[in-house]
Amino acid sequence: MLGGAPARAAARPGGRAPRVLIATNEPWGTYHAAPLLPEAQRLGWELAQLVPDRTGIKPGDPVPVALLDEVTDADLLVVTGAGDWPADCAARLRRVPLVASSLAYQLPVEAPRAKEFRGRLRAITASSPAEAKVFDDYLGTRRRIDVVGSPQTDALPAHAPEAGTVLVLTSVTRSTQTGGSAPGTELLLAAAERLAAAGKHILVGLHPREDRSLWERYEISTVASVQASARAEVAIGIPGTVFPVVAAVGVPLVGCTDPALQIPGYLLSVCSHTITSADDAVTAAQSAEPVSRKVLYEAVGPVGGSARRLFKVWRKAGLRAHAA
């Protein structure tokens, strides 16, 4: 069964630590699992992301990975979506207790393969009330979803904006085998040019899969976008999973919304303004304000202690499974 602390983990047969496997819609996108590592280490759990192979894993990636053929034992399988890879993993690991946890945004449309495994789900989690509603539609479950917050909010930086600094939050310009892309890069590039011309210092928060060469004319942050946001007076970008977390830091947000972009409404709700033309970037950035606490809670959920709440749900799901 899943333990709640290293001592309990050591009590398992053979002294093995509780093992949790994660399967995501972006098979090699370990950045979704990375914020979970501190809590896993604190509890003495073994966490590994399932990958089709190791070709997409960079040397030194801190997230442990495993191939399906290497899995001989696990206490829990966590799927973060219902794409082909998570569905394939769930099908292969039919005897492993299953939980669905939203770690990245989805669209409120039922995923074609969700029906293959949703009847097995022992628990479902989401970061916020708004994300829970979307995740419920995506899975087609119509059942209780535990709102736990985003683990990325467990170590938010103090907002200490540097005068004239604008954080540009990129998405992914080109799809790869790891995952898809979002339209709007041309709009965001043009907006950054307008802001730079207006005397703003551009700090780029690069998506892990974005083409770095597109942004090398500006300062590219050497730390993750959430940590980089502490330096920014305002952030502008293509709305994505990181937007509510940056809003939780206290940074006003401007969303660049290409007409072809499909995103859930709660990601737009944390934007002070949205723009469809680069000509509006400077005015929008200058007048942007932080969102209200009410809007923030609906979009990002409870701030702080989120990984602990998430692992508590996972532990209970594992305990129920082993007691059944």
Side-chain angles (χ1 to χ4, degrees), residues 209-230:
R209 292 192 290 110
E210 174 60 313
D211 182 352
R212 184 184 182 91
S213 66
L214 296 173
W215 301 96
E216 287 181 335
R217 76 192 76 173
Y218 306 116
E219 179 189 357
I220 296 178
S221 175
T222 57
V223 298
S225 295
V226 174
Q227 300 303 313
S229 70

Side-chain angles (χ1 to χ4, degrees), residues 23-317:
T24 77
N25 283 355
E26 302 173 72
W28 294 273
T30 57
Y31 40 85
H32 294 307
L36 306 176
L37 293 181
E39 184 66 9
Q41 292 167 358
R42 187 185 74 83
L43 294 174
W45 291 18
E46 181 184 345
L47 200 69
Q49 180 158 327
L50 291 171
V51 294
D53 55 55
R54 291 185 171 84
T55 59
I57 302 300
K58 295 180 180 179
D61 191 317
V63 178
V65 298
L67 307 184
L68 267 175
D69 291 339
E70 296 174 344
V71 176
T72 57
D73 191 15
D75 298 290
L76 198 66
L77 171 62
V78 177
V79 293
T80 68
D84 285 338
W85 180 242
D88 288 347
C89 292
R92 283 280 299 275
L93 302 175
R94 291 186 180 278
R95 295 180 178 274
V96 179
L98 187 65
V99 167
S101 291
S102 180
L103 299 180
Y105 83 85
Q106 309 293 348
L107 294 176
V109 178
E110 184 175 327
R113 298 191 64 181
K115 61 180 179 293
E116 296 179 19
F117 60 78
R118 63 185 171 217
R120 290 173 51 198
L121 293 173
R122 296 182 176 272
I124 306 174
T125 71
S127 297
S128 69
E131 186 178 81
K133 294 173 185 175
V134 171
F135 204 40
D136 188 48
D137 288 338
Y138 173 77
L139 294 174
T141 51
R142 304 298 183 269
R143 55 177 280 191
R144 170 189 168 88
I145 294 181
D146 291 293
V147 173
V148 297
S150 169
Q152 291 190 74
T153 67
D154 288 353
L156 291 178
H159 191 207
E162 299 172 3
T165 296
V166 177
L167 176 66
V168 172
L169 296 167
T170 77
S171 184
V172 182
T173 303
R174 301 179 183 89
S175 298
T176 66
Q177 63 177 355
T178 298
S181 58
T185 297
E186 289 186 5
L187 172 59
L188 185 56
L189 281 166
E193 289 178 359
R194 301 292 200 284
L195 288 162
K200 301 298 183 182
H201 174 69
I202 304 300
L203 174 65
V204 180
L206 207 64
H207 188 285
R209 292 192 290 110
E210 174 60 313
D211 182 352
R212 184 184 182 91
S213 66
L214 296 173
W215 301 96
E216 287 181 335
R217 76 192 76 173
Y218 306 116
E219 179 189 357
I220 296 178
S221 175
T222 57
V223 298
S225 295
V226 174
Q227 300 303 313
S229 70
R231 296 174 51 192
E233 289 186 324
V234 64
I236 185 171
I238 300 170
T241 302
V242 75
F243 261 49
V245 185
V246 170
V249 176
V251 182
L253 285 155
V254 175
C256 290
T257 53
D258 186 282
L261 183 66
Q262 290 184 300
I263 51 173
Y266 72 91
L267 295 183
L268 296 176
S269 73
V270 297
C271 297
S272 182
H273 305 290
T274 58
I275 62 171
T276 57
S277 169
D279 293 336
D280 298 326
V282 174
T283 300
Q286 289 175 340
S287 60
E289 297 180 351
V291 296
S292 69
R293 289 186 178 182
K294 181 179 179 180
V295 170
L296 185 63
Y297 180 82
E298 185 69 15
V300 79
V303 174
S306 298
R308 186 169 299 187
R309 284 187 290 270
L310 177 62
F311 277 63
K312 183 177 180 180
V313 173
W314 289 358
R315 180 179 61 82
K316 288 182 177 179

